[in-house]
Amino acid sequence: MNRKPPLSSKALLHLLLFSAFTFVLVILAVRFLTTLLESGLLTWFDIQFIYSPFSVLFASTETGNWNVNKILAAYGGIPVLLFVVGLANLYLKSKHWKVNLALTWLSFFLVNSLPLNILAGVFLFQGFGIAYQWLLPHLTLRIGLAIPALALMLWSRPFWIQRFMRCAYS
């Protein structure tokens, strides 16, 4: 059996390239899943939109068929659902380091989708930010909610570092 030492330059390059490939693949898959869920809810709510695989565009941002419950379901429910699925995904384990790395990237993006949407929604009037700015029109209130989201992400940083370190083969 011709196995490379775990910290050889060739093995580290292999780990880096695989991790970068997995990162891109997972982020595209999560974005596609989010767009698919969003377009499904918007279709169910009979709201007009233009679909593309990675974004949903509205012909206008008029209040037409929107109400608070539809806004919360379409834009608040999806990040919360992804957050819960990401937490559940943390319990999945595999014997192969590549599968564990892919599962960790997937959990990372799913769990952080909610706080990242809250942070982005403070200033961006796109996607989650549309609903966020409709529901919370005052910038100071949105910033006040974004600070705990940022604190949560900073607090979880050591957990994610440890999680990714355990994925590397040895």
Side-chain angles (χ1 to χ4, degrees):
M1 188 153 126
N2 188 10
R3 197 169 164 177
K4 301 175 285 243
L7 294 178
S8 71
S9 60
K10 197 171 191 176
L12 289 175
L13 179 65
H14 180 247
L15 176 65
L16 174 72
L17 291 176
F18 182 77
S19 183
F21 173 75
T22 306
F23 169 84
V24 171
L25 191 65
V26 167
I27 201 163
L28 289 173
V30 168
R31 184 65 191 147
F32 179 76
L33 176 66
T34 303
T35 305
L36 192 64
L37 291 171
E38 183 181 337
S39 65
L41 281 174
L42 293 175
T43 301
W44 188 42
F45 293 147
D46 196 31
I47 295 172
Q48 301 296 322
F49 64 96
I50 301 166
Y51 173 81
S52 71
F54 298 106
S55 67
V56 170
L57 302 172
F58 298 98
S60 73
T61 55
E62 295 176 10
T63 57
N65 293 334
W66 290 100
N67 64 33
V68 174
N69 292 333
K70 289 179 181 180
I71 292 171
L72 288 175
Y75 289 105
I78 293 172
V80 170
L81 175 67
L82 295 178
F83 180 81
V84 170
V85 169
L87 289 177
N89 191 38
L90 285 172
Y91 294 101
L92 297 177
K93 300 266 191 270
S94 173
K95 292 183 180 182
H96 199 277
W97 69 270
K98 289 182 178 182
V99 175
N100 282 334
L101 183 62
L103 289 172
T104 301
W105 273 122
L106 183 62
S107 293
F108 178 78
F109 284 117
L110 291 176
V111 167
N112 286 308
S113 67
L114 182 61
L116 286 173
N117 275 319
I118 290 172
L119 286 172
V122 170
F123 300 107
L124 301 178
F125 192 70
Q126 179 181 3
F128 183 83
I130 294 172
Y132 203 45
Q133 291 182 23
W134 268 352
L135 296 173
L136 304 170
H138 301 291
L139 179 63
T140 53
L141 184 57
R142 291 194 310 266
I143 291 173
L145 290 174
I147 290 171
L150 181 60
L152 175 69
M153 289 174 50
L154 292 174
W155 178 78
S156 69
R157 184 176 178 262
F159 169 78
W160 290 112
I161 290 172
Q162 182 184 38
R163 186 84 180 181
F164 279 106
M165 292 300 287
R166 276 191 262 144
C167 291
Y169 56 89
S170 57

